[in-house]
Amino acid sequence: MDSKTLQRRRSTNTNKEKKLKRSEVLAKKKAIEKLIKTACAENDQLASFHAFHHFHRNGLSVCLKSGRGNELFSPVKNYIQSLLKLNMEGPYGSEWPVEEKVKRREMVDPEAHYIFVHEIANLNANETATMLTANEASTICVEDSGPLVGFVQYRFVLEEDIPVLYVYELQLEPCVQGKGLGKFLMQLIELIGRKNSMGAVVLTVQKANLLAMNFYISKLRYTISSTSPSKVNPMMGIEKSYEILCKTFNDEAKTILEDSE
């Protein structure tokens, strides 16, 4: 075989390899897009987790309901805005007026999923709360749910080409904080992420919110993501007021999203 023929064959093989790689990349991209589209289309992510429809601990009795950003009634919108202002105006400081407008837009986005936390009305937590079955608690949530005391807002998105469940908000009223409810909700969020084959749960926390930083990093074992501003360009001297945290579920997500240090 002469050198020209050998060179042509090598060139042909190289082109085939490139086409194969491109087809693999496109197939992977389509599969990820389908994952996110399927997850977004399911309105009630709670339906698969009956044990998480209710929370009865430490003198607190609440039930959970699903919602979507484009289906919120005005009283619920007002509640969300009020709780956000109560909890986040301090950590955001001078940035709050701008961030408040951003959060109002995010609140009603069709891709926004919600878990709403309601007090259970007409129930003496000291008497029967801990004895309810999942079906009984679900019935109570439908028929006798009381006022809202918190919510989680999340979406299914791409982060560095990894499908993730991104927690936009976890907001609880002060009266229900410190009772294990936040950890319970994040356990549910992680289960929802795994069920939908997401590579990780990702969220943003203000550095000034020391309680939240400690909650996620120390108690829930989240790590500062390699995509967080403090990790991307630490030598540029441009400091942001927030960190991006993550908990990964597979090796690919771990390699791309977790801090390599």
Side-chain angles (χ1 to χ4, degrees):
M1 183 183 298
D2 59 51
S3 60
K4 288 184 178 181
T5 301
L6 181 60
Q7 187 174 1
R8 282 198 300 271
R9 288 193 175 182
R10 286 176 176 172
S11 177
T12 300
N13 289 337
T14 300
N15 289 334
K16 286 181 178 179
E17 289 175 2
K18 287 181 178 179
K19 288 181 179 179
L20 180 61
K21 288 182 179 179
R22 282 198 296 269
S23 65
E24 289 175 349
V25 169
L26 286 173
K28 182 180 179 181
K29 184 178 179 181
K30 287 182 178 179
I32 291 174
E33 288 175 350
K34 184 178 180 181
L35 268 182
I36 291 180
K37 185 177 180 179
T38 300
C40 287
E42 186 174 342
N43 282 329
D44 188 6
Q45 293 287 346
L46 280 171
S48 301
F49 305 102
H50 294 288
F52 284 83
H53 286 190
H54 55 95
F55 176 90
H56 302 296
R57 298 175 197 168
N58 301 318
L60 179 64
S61 296
V62 300
C63 62
L64 310 184
K65 294 182 180 180
S66 294
R68 295 297 292 264
N70 59 343
E71 299 173 354
L72 301 178
F73 294 113
S74 292
V76 176
K77 293 178 186 178
N78 293 335
Y79 174 82
I80 290 171
Q81 292 172 14
S82 296
L83 186 55
L84 281 169
K85 183 178 178 66
L86 175 67
N87 287 347
M88 301 309 298
E89 187 174 20
Y92 274 104
S94 61
E95 298 177 6
W96 176 246
V98 174
E99 288 297 328
E100 186 176 27
K101 293 177 181 178
V102 173
K103 290 181 181 297
R104 284 181 180 177
R105 292 194 298 269
E106 293 173 346
M107 174 180 70
V108 296
D109 193 289
E111 293 185 358
H113 290 253
Y114 282 88
I115 298 171
F116 291 112
V117 184
H118 291 262
E119 281 187 336
I120 295 179
N122 303 320
L123 181 68
N124 187 332
N126 293 325
E127 293 180 1
T128 60
T130 57
M131 300 175 64
L132 290 174
T133 66
N135 288 337
E136 288 170 338
S138 297
T139 300
I140 288 173
C141 283
V142 172
E143 296 177 352
D144 299 307
S145 58
L148 282 165
V149 292
F151 68 92
V152 184
Q153 183 200 140
Y154 63 97
R155 300 188 197 183
F156 300 99
V157 300
L158 279 178
E159 184 84 355
E160 300 294 317
D161 293 327
I162 299 293
V164 305
L165 187 159
Y166 207 114
V167 179
Y168 275 58
E169 306 289 349
L170 169 54
Q171 302 293 341
L172 299 176
E173 292 189 18
C175 62
V176 299
Q177 294 178 15
K179 297 178 181 291
L181 179 57
K183 183 177 180 180
F184 177 82
L185 290 168
M186 286 305 298
Q187 288 173 337
L188 171 59
I189 283 292
E190 290 168 17
L191 288 172
I192 291 173
R194 289 179 181 275
K195 170 185 171 288
N196 288 279
S197 300
M198 297 294 108
V201 170
V202 181
L203 50 92
T204 303
V205 182
Q206 289 297 113
K207 291 180 181 178
N209 195 344
L210 299 180
L211 288 176
M213 289 290 289
N214 180 67
F215 172 69
Y216 289 113
I217 293 176
S218 299
K219 293 185 177 180
L220 301 187
R221 303 302 180 188
Y222 278 68
T223 61
I224 298 176
S225 173
S226 57
T227 64
S228 193
S230 65
K231 301 296 182 182
V232 175
N233 291 309
M235 304 303 294
M236 292 181 64
I238 303 174
E239 188 170 348
K240 297 292 185 179
S241 62
Y242 63 89
E243 295 282 12
I244 298 174
L245 308 183
C246 69
K247 179 180 285 189
T248 57
F249 302 143
N250 58 50
D251 291 340
E252 182 182 16
K254 183 179 177 66
T255 299
I256 294 173
L257 297 178
E258 285 196 5
D259 182 17
S260 59
E261 294 182 358

